[in-house]
Amino acid sequence: MGFLSVLSCAHQWISSRLQPGELAIDATVGTGADTLFLAQQVGHRGQVIGFDIQSEALTLAQARIRKHSEGNKLGSISLLELSHARMDEAVPETWAGQVGAVMFNLGYLPAEGADASIITETSSTIAALEAALSLLRTRGIITAVLYPGHDGGAQEAEAVSAWAAALPVEQAQVVMYRQLQRASSPYLIGIEKK
């Protein structure tokens, strides 16, 4: 057995912390894989909010969720066509300090025919990470999968890494999961709130 992919590793980290009935956020819905995963983890009593700026992404996610909802006890899912940078204003006030997990899968929509020039932007991603950290409960987790191999991806990955590395250890513990031999390989940052 080889090492886990960065996405599988993110799912493993979250599944060990996120409990049924909790609140979770998918900051970058994309095709809905992480949204569905979070809804399965929180179960029928939990809630998930997902953000994406592309209606195409939300359509793909809705189709994925419908396909897997039969017989599964999924949490309530709200998909918002909105930048994750607006997380602070879009998430109910009652969620502050109560969220168990927030997932970021940065880059572009990985769907056939999707416009790969539409990418997550550093400034909105950092704003969303700051909002996510304030929404987390104690021992809640943020996972961010970074893709330095595409145009704009390396700059965003460096900025996110620097932001995470600068977090005070009294506030959060930050770890990285990365293949060291390839600088352009995707990598994962995990942030656990103290």
Side-chain angles (χ1 to χ4, degrees):
M1 184 172 128
F3 289 114
L4 293 173
S5 71
V6 289
L7 297 172
S8 295
C9 186
H11 285 194
Q12 187 176 78
W13 288 355
I14 286 175
S15 65
S16 70
R17 290 167 179 81
L18 191 60
Q19 300 299 310
E22 283 203 287
L23 308 171
I25 297 171
D26 185 350
T28 52
V29 169
T31 62
D34 291 337
T35 312
L36 177 62
F37 166 74
L38 290 168
Q40 290 168 331
Q41 294 302 302
V42 300
H44 68 281
R45 293 185 347 261
Q47 293 179 294
V48 177
I49 296 177
F51 292 87
D52 208 293
I53 61 168
Q54 296 182 76
S55 60
E56 178 186 0
L58 301 182
T59 300
L60 290 168
Q62 287 165 341
R64 181 186 296 261
I65 291 161
R66 266 194 308 277
K67 183 178 174 184
H68 291 89
S69 62
E70 201 65 36
N72 275 323
K73 295 189 174 174
L74 300 180
S76 162
I77 302 168
S78 301
L79 298 177
L80 306 177
E81 189 175 340
L82 198 63
S83 170
H84 55 207
R86 297 180 60 195
M87 188 182 298
D88 252 351
E89 65 190 73
V91 171
E93 286 180 25
T94 56
W95 284 38
Q98 303 299 314
V99 174
V102 183
M103 296 189 81
F104 289 79
N105 193 352
L106 302 170
Y108 53 85
L109 180 61
E112 189 176 322
D115 184 350
S117 71
I118 301 172
I119 62 172
T120 52
E121 301 288 338
T122 302
S123 60
S124 63
T125 297
I126 297 297
L129 284 163
E130 289 173 353
L133 191 57
S134 71
L135 290 167
L136 283 185
R137 63 163 167 76
T138 301
R139 294 195 33 81
I141 186 172
I142 295 169
T143 60
V145 177
L146 303 152
Y147 296 88
H150 67 84
D151 285 345
Q155 295 85 347
E156 182 178 44
E158 287 171 21
V160 169
S161 297
W163 175 84
L167 290 172
V169 293
E170 303 79 33
Q171 183 180 17
Q173 176 179 341
V174 180
V175 296
M176 184 185 296
Y177 181 74
R178 185 173 196 173
Q179 182 182 357
L180 295 175
Q181 298 100 322
R182 291 191 184 127
S184 63
S185 290
Y187 64 97
L188 170 65
I189 290 178
I191 302 166
E192 183 182 60
K193 188 171 184 176
K194 288 191 175 179

